[in-house]
Amino acid sequence: MYDIVIIGSGPAGYVAAIRAGQLGLKTAIIEKNVIGGMCLNWGCIPSKAIMESAKLFKRIGKDAGRFGIGGIDKKALTFDWSKAIKRSDGIVKKLTTGVEFLLKKNGVEIIIGEAHINSASSISVNNRNLEAKNIMIATGTKSPAIESTVEGLIIEPKELFKAREIPENIVVTGKTPVAIELAQAFNLIGKKVTILCPGDRIMPLADQYVADYILNKIKKDRIKISFETELTSTEGIYADGILSLGEDEIKCDMIVNAATRKAILPEIDIDMKLTEEGYISVDEDCQTSIPNIYAVGDVNGLSYYAHVGSAEGLHVVNHIKGIKQKLDIKKYPINMYTVPEAAQIGLTEADIKEQGYDYKISEFPMSANGKAMTEGNLDGFVRILSETKYGEVLGVQIVAPNATDLIAEASAYLEMEATIYDVAQTVHAHPTISEVFMEAGFEAVDQAIHK
Amino acid sequence: MRYIFKFPDIGEGLEEGTIVEWHVEKGQKIESGDNLVTMETDKVVTGIPSPKSGTLVKLYGKVGEIINVGDALVEIEIEGTETTEDPTDTKSHVEAVKEEGAGVVGTLEIAGSGAVLSASTEGVDETPEEAPKKRKTLATPVARAMAKDLSVDINKVEGTGPAGRIMKEDIQNYLQSAKTSAPAASSTGQVFTPEENLVEVEPMTQIRKTIAKNMIQSKHNAAHMTLFEEVEISELDRIRKKFKAKLADDGVKLTYLAFVIKATAMALRKFKSLNAQMDMDAGTMIYKKYYNIGIAVDTDKGLMVPVVRNADRLSIAEIAAKITEFSEKARDGQITMEDMQDGTFTITSYGSIGGLFAVPVINYPQAGILGVGRIAKQPIVKNDELAIGLIMPLSLSVDHRIADGGETARFVNQVMAYLEEPTALLF
């Protein structure tokens, strides 16, 4: 009898498994593919590795001369996707091996195979029957398939990060930050990119102000975007490298499917409640409609972020061990690996209006920050939304080259329920990008110094 | 040198006070003894004088905010001395108190971390050491701001955050449960929420809290027994009218109450158990040989009880002058802690507003309280004939643990005798 059997070894499942092992629970983790799941193998890590290559490529061409580096012939620069992938593979290998090592070190049994849930306490895998006191489903999500008879036209993210030729004209479908990020990466290496965006705005979870800023940026970079466009099949609208959408004829050699992802449900013999969108329905402790079966990570539809999945996984293990905590995903940062990066935490301006707070916005531009100037990155801002009575920091949004790292400071503000007075009083070293926080704090309290 | 003046304990065991009014501003030069701020404590509204001369560099707290005893009130830059001392170093301040504090402001001792009144019997040395030992309550900045704003004692809130940290939500839940639990326990079972607009929910003032605490303490500890009487005071009224104009020339109002105070004080001299208190723990009776009569005064802030000291030795004119002084002070919110200390017996003259008889609540730990009802002309039987009398209703509550029935009745008879024939007070 296992204390817990975890299905899926992505960042929600494997983190929970390590924690369960540490707490002395008899733990097994079942993975049908590779350890580390999407995040490590064909999500977060490879996409970031490729993005770094793409940014460096662009930067060398654009900035080398201006930064005093001679001998670079801009026209002679080429981008080798396969070589970039090789570097990425090295990183992935290092990380997945590390995860496997940690699982074993903490006494977690790793089973490669496809799980089948027979009952609330029984799972079959590879003709084996496992009895479990608790089951954690961490099977993740995938983009709904786009039907096409043209071989190799539709590329899933899972297939993208492999050694391959990247053609000239690329269509990316989707509205999430992942879709924008991929489109920008292709744009940086000189490809012609079109985004097909279902709905009327990109990055629906982002504050409108952030989304608008990024939208302006991608338009400026000549990435085409077509709103209210959902692609489910290329049948009858694709021929000879041309995708015909109404009157639009889009040159297209490859379609990257980055549409909003749907739950991957495990095989299960008992009834489990799902949400309207088909995710596994869970309560505030990530418990499903079946007691002792939990669902964490993307599959419960609460969030598509690895760090949220990990936090949920840890929460469930603690919950099983009787450690009481509160899971408040509004206090977790949302990172968008666009160019420049965007990140936010807490309430958006729309949330704040809806909840009826009296609020104040203080914004400080990167263009007034000394360190940003030296780095030659003037895009972006930090924006603090605070309520006026106590000065509580309700939400923070950042657009900056390293926004996804800068947001960590704001996470601490939210976690500790800090006020703008605390922000303003926290001395930030000079010269750093992080000074923008202090300046925004000054502005919220009274007036910024360098604005 | 930067000097931090902390809110001193100006009474006996005060914990906190609310800022009523600042009399100074940041940057202003002040002299030692200048009135800095008016504070409402749970007993009085009083001015706090500055212990030092210098320039005010910082005022802590806005009007309406609660300041705990021992917390910083103002920062004063004292000229001519070097700024070597870290103003936040509490230890050095405790020392500063010892060497320079005493006597600078008369009755006020400069507060160290645990401030004391110089007149207090508590030692200066032991108190400051206790306070810093108390563990600081963990709370988020927002929770602190909210607690301060909503007058929530943060030490009473249970924290649900990491390491027991008090979060914003904990303050909200505390307030919610405070709102719902108290009225829910009432017989009506009604729960008041501010959203209904049918009720107004506001934080209790310090004085109201004290009144509530004292009333319950009295009802809980004393064995109340009340005796009602009526006394005919035509003669007293004649004398009062005769001297009224004379005293009015000195701005003094001669009221019936002045006579009642005098009569009571004189009677107390004859019946010692009515001017006593008991110490159950020590197993002793304490008979006081001074007769300080508290008079219940109705003010906008609530009930206050200033004390006419040694009333037995004062003339009625002197007592009347004292009453006039107290009513003026009450009107201006100027009654001080000192005015209210050391009472041995209390008189409440609700009758000047209305009401014939009442069951007054003893001003614990005193032994008795005399209520004076509305004075009115009434038919009386005099020499077997109907006549018009001036009747003063009296309601005397005593602590039956201390005073027996016979003693109580004899005491009332004596008071009545003095009121019926005030010239007897001269003998």
Side-chain angles (χ1 to χ4, degrees):
Chain A
M1 174 74 97
Y2 291 88
D3 290 312
I4 185 165
V5 173
I6 297 166
I7 307 170
S9 71
Y14 89 70
V15 169
I18 292 173
R19 179 70 180 152
Q22 285 172 346
L23 292 176
L25 298 177
K26 190 172 184 221
T27 309
I29 191 162
I30 303 173
E31 171 58 57
K32 72 173 175 186
N33 205 322
V34 279
I35 295 292
M38 169 162 177
C39 170
L40 262 59
N41 293 287
W42 49 87
C44 317
I45 297 303
S47 64
K48 258 33 86 190
I50 283 291
M51 182 55 106
E52 278 311 308
S53 291
K55 283 199 264 196
L56 187 59
F57 174 79
K58 177 75 179 182
R59 186 129 205 223
I60 290 169
K62 185 170 152 253
D63 281 345
R66 183 163 86 91
F67 274 63
I69 301 161
I72 288 171
D73 178 2
K74 204 173 157 182
K75 286 190 181 113
L77 289 174
T78 56
F79 191 88
D80 187 334
W81 184 271
S82 300
K83 257 197 170 162
I85 285 295
K86 208 168 172 192
R87 189 181 80 92
S88 165
D89 284 347
I91 302 165
V92 169
K93 181 99 180 114
K94 212 169 191 173
L95 289 171
T96 51
T97 317
V99 169
E100 218 170 313
F101 167 77
L102 287 172
L103 287 168
K104 285 177 180 159
K105 183 186 148 199
N106 288 291
V108 177
E109 185 183 343
I110 301 170
I111 303 168
I112 301 295
E114 191 151 0
H116 182 109
I117 302 174
N118 309 314
S119 74
S121 60
S122 160
I123 297 175
S124 317
V125 58
N126 304 342
N127 300 321
R128 249 181 89 189
N129 224 28
L130 308 181
E131 295 296 313
K133 288 183 194 158
N134 297 284
I135 295 171
M136 180 188 286
I137 301 170
T139 43
T141 49
K142 63 177 178 198
S143 295
I146 299 170
E147 283 175 31
S148 179
T149 48
V150 185
E151 200 182 329
L153 178 65
I154 313 289
I155 303 289
E156 301 295 329
K158 199 169 167 176
E159 305 300 320
L160 182 63
F161 299 110
K162 284 184 174 164
R164 61 165 61 248
E165 287 294 315
I166 301 293
E168 271 312 296
N169 300 298
I170 300 167
V171 167
V172 178
T173 65
K175 60 186 170 184
T176 65
V178 173
I180 307 303
E181 171 190 350
L182 290 173
Q184 286 185 305
F186 293 128
N187 175 262
L188 288 172
I189 60 172
K191 308 297 178 187
K192 293 197 170 55
V193 186
T194 305
I195 299 170
L196 303 184
C197 176
D200 61 353
R201 61 168 287 191
I202 59 166
M203 310 196 298
L205 293 180
D207 190 285
Q208 187 74 51
Y209 193 77
V210 172
D212 286 347
Y213 192 97
I214 298 297
L215 182 63
N216 275 337
K217 171 76 179 151
I218 60 178
K219 281 182 172 166
K220 220 172 99 192
D221 290 340
R222 301 184 184 204
I223 295 172
K224 277 190 248 162
I225 182 157
S226 170
F227 287 106
E228 306 287 1
T229 310
E230 194 157 9
L231 191 68
T232 52
S233 166
T234 59
E235 196 60 45
I237 54 169
Y238 183 80
D240 304 326
I242 300 288
L243 184 66
S244 310
L245 291 170
E247 288 174 9
D248 271 353
E249 300 218 319
I250 302 163
K251 281 189 182 171
C252 170
D253 311 316
M254 177 169 102
I255 298 172
V256 177
N257 184 7
T260 304
R261 304 163 65 82
K262 299 288 176 201
I264 302 171
L265 298 174
E267 290 178 33
I268 183 164
D269 292 341
I270 42 179
D271 278 338
M272 188 166 57
K273 208 175 141 205
L274 300 181
T275 67
E276 278 176 32
E277 298 83 21
Y279 300 99
I280 298 176
S281 173
V282 292
D283 66 9
E284 66 274 17
D285 290 317
C286 295
Q287 187 157 250
T288 66
S289 58
I290 305 161
N292 304 327
I293 298 188
Y294 299 85
V296 298
D298 292 10
V299 76
N300 65 25
L302 296 178
S303 155
Y304 298 109
Y305 289 94
H307 54 277
V308 178
S310 299
E312 289 174 357
L314 289 175
H315 179 82
V316 167
V317 174
N318 287 334
H319 177 79
I320 289 170
K321 277 296 265 185
I323 301 167
K324 276 205 164 170
Q325 280 175 335
K326 230 185 286 173
L327 196 62
D328 187 358
I329 66 171
K330 267 284 171 203
K331 283 187 180 166
Y332 301 155
I334 292 180
N335 282 356
M336 295 160 266
Y337 292 86
T338 49
V339 184
E341 292 181 349
Q344 72 179 36
I345 189 164
L347 302 180
T348 62
E349 193 176 354
D351 294 335
I352 290 171
K353 279 186 180 155
E354 195 188 310
Q355 294 181 25
Y357 283 102
D358 285 331
Y359 69 102
K360 191 195 267 187
I361 297 175
S362 47
E363 183 180 336
F364 193 81
M366 294 297 159
S367 57
N369 176 277
K371 184 86 181 305
M373 289 185 211
T374 64
E375 292 176 359
N377 295 317
L378 301 180
D379 285 345
F381 56 84
V382 63
R383 193 166 176 254
I384 301 178
L385 291 82
S386 57
E387 61 84 46
T388 47
K389 190 160 187 194
Y390 305 117
E392 180 181 7
V393 177
L394 297 174
V396 174
Q397 294 132 25
I398 307 169
V399 172
N402 60 337
T404 60
D405 287 312
L406 285 175
I407 197 70
E409 174 172 343
S411 307
Y413 290 144
L414 271 279
E415 178 59 36
M416 316 250 317
E417 285 183 352
T419 65
I420 44 167
Y421 307 102
D422 304 304
V423 180
Q425 291 222 337
T426 305
V427 171
H428 290 64
H430 176 77
T432 60
I433 305 281
S434 70
E435 287 174 86
V436 295
F437 269 111
M438 187 169 65
E439 292 282 6
F442 286 155
E443 172 154 309
V445 173
D446 183 12
Q447 202 171 356
I449 301 291
H450 297 100
K451 186 177 164 183
Chain B
M1 189 190 79
R2 191 66 70 84
Y3 177 82
I4 296 186
F5 177 47
K6 293 173 180 171
F7 181 36
D9 182 353
I10 48 172
E12 299 143 346
L14 282 185
E15 285 174 3
E16 56 185 30
T18 308
I19 299 175
V20 177
E21 188 185 354
W22 281 106
H23 302 295
V24 290
E25 336 181 310
K26 192 178 158 186
Q28 186 178 328
K29 281 200 184 233
I30 48 157
E31 295 293 323
S32 161
D34 282 358
N35 196 6
L36 296 172
V37 61
T38 299
M39 302 288 294
E40 183 198 347
T41 70
D42 56 3
K43 290 176 181 138
V44 280
V45 176
T46 185
I48 307 286
S50 172
K52 301 265 181 191
S53 301
T55 306
L56 276 173
V57 287
K58 187 156 186 177
L59 308 185
Y60 291 90
K62 299 192 187 95
V63 168
E65 282 184 18
I66 293 175
I67 306 288
N68 290 323
V69 165
D71 281 358
L73 202 53
V74 296
E75 267 177 55
I76 304 167
E77 186 68 43
I78 297 165
E79 282 144 49
T81 40
E82 284 174 46
T83 318
T84 46
E85 193 184 2
D86 176 4
T88 55
D89 184 349
T90 336
K91 202 178 160 203
S92 61
H93 276 178
V94 175
E95 280 158 17
V97 168
K98 283 181 192 163
E99 54 184 49
E100 344 172 18
V104 178
V105 245
T107 58
L108 286 183
E109 178 89 61
I110 296 163
S113 301
V116 287
L117 188 73
S118 63
S120 162
T121 51
E122 291 165 281
V124 179
D125 284 326
E126 58 186 343
T127 323
E129 283 182 8
E130 261 173 69
K133 269 189 199 161
K134 203 179 142 200
R135 189 172 158 268
K136 196 183 165 204
T137 306
L138 275 178
T140 70
V142 172
R144 279 192 197 286
M146 195 178 259
K148 206 168 187 184
D149 181 49
L150 301 172
S151 304
V152 170
D153 180 354
I154 204 153
N155 298 307
K156 292 183 181 153
V157 181
E158 201 183 328
T160 61
R165 185 186 297 274
I166 297 164
M167 313 294 286
K168 177 177 69 174
E169 210 180 7
D170 298 326
I171 305 283
Q172 288 163 340
N173 290 342
Y174 178 84
L175 274 178
Q176 198 56 43
S177 65
K179 253 179 226 153
T180 50
S181 68
S186 78
S187 56
T188 60
Q190 243 179 305
V191 173
F192 294 119
T193 55
E195 289 79 27
E196 287 176 81
N197 278 333
L198 295 172
V199 294
E200 206 177 337
V201 178
E202 53 182 52
M204 266 190 247
T205 61
Q206 299 289 345
I207 289 174
R208 180 58 55 197
K209 281 185 196 166
T210 306
I211 291 171
K213 200 176 77 194
N214 290 349
M215 290 295 173
I216 292 297
Q217 187 187 30
S218 174
K219 277 288 190 182
H220 183 75
N221 289 321
H224 279 72
M225 186 267 278
T226 308
L227 183 148
F228 305 104
E229 259 298 0
E230 284 183 335
V231 54
E232 207 283 318
I233 55 160
S234 299
E235 177 61 12
L236 187 155
D237 194 44
R238 191 185 61 78
I239 298 170
R240 187 180 81 97
K241 279 179 178 147
K242 194 169 167 186
F243 291 95
K244 202 176 160 184
K246 186 175 168 291
L247 265 64
D249 290 346
D250 301 330
V252 173
K253 200 175 158 199
L254 181 57
T255 57
Y256 295 109
L257 180 61
F259 291 87
V260 179
I261 291 170
K262 180 71 180 174
T264 303
M266 295 303 281
L268 285 172
R269 286 173 65 148
K270 298 187 173 175
F271 299 92
K272 64 175 188 175
S273 57
L274 274 294
N275 199 49
Q277 79 182 61
M278 70 200 313
D279 186 336
M280 294 290 274
D281 294 336
T284 53
M285 297 295 300
I286 301 152
Y287 298 103
K288 296 165 191 163
K289 295 195 170 157
Y290 52 94
Y291 306 90
N292 295 344
I293 311 297
I295 48 176
V297 179
D298 177 56
T299 75
D300 341 328
K301 305 227 178 257
L303 175 69
M304 291 194 183
V305 188
V307 172
V308 180
R309 285 161 197 280
N310 300 315
D312 60 318
R313 282 188 260 149
L314 297 180
S315 71
I316 289 174
E318 284 168 328
I319 294 173
K322 206 72 197 165
I323 296 170
T324 306
E325 182 196 323
F326 285 147
S327 34
E328 280 166 9
K329 275 184 160 181
R331 191 188 56 217
D332 302 338
Q334 299 285 322
I335 290 181
T336 65
M337 196 67 221
E338 207 185 0
D339 289 334
M340 301 201 289
Q341 279 164 348
D342 307 325
T344 61
F345 188 94
T346 300
I347 294 175
T348 170
S349 54
Y350 52 83
S352 59
I353 304 170
L356 285 175
F357 296 101
V359 181
V361 178
I362 292 164
N363 191 358
Y364 190 84
Q366 295 170 13
I369 181 167
L370 180 66
V372 182
R374 176 162 43 82
I375 299 161
K377 284 182 179 170
Q378 279 184 23
I380 55 164
V381 178
K382 205 172 177 182
N383 302 329
D384 282 346
E385 278 184 34
L386 270 179
I388 296 174
L390 190 60
I391 300 296
M392 174 189 275
L394 296 176
S395 308
L396 173 70
S397 288
V398 297
D399 186 344
H400 216 341
R401 297 175 309 160
I402 303 174
D404 297 332
E407 179 94 335
T408 305
R410 280 189 285 275
F411 169 73
V412 167
N413 287 342
Q414 183 62 62
V415 172
M416 286 167 63
Y418 284 136
L419 293 174
E420 270 167 353
E421 187 48 71
T423 47
L425 288 166
L426 300 172
F427 298 94

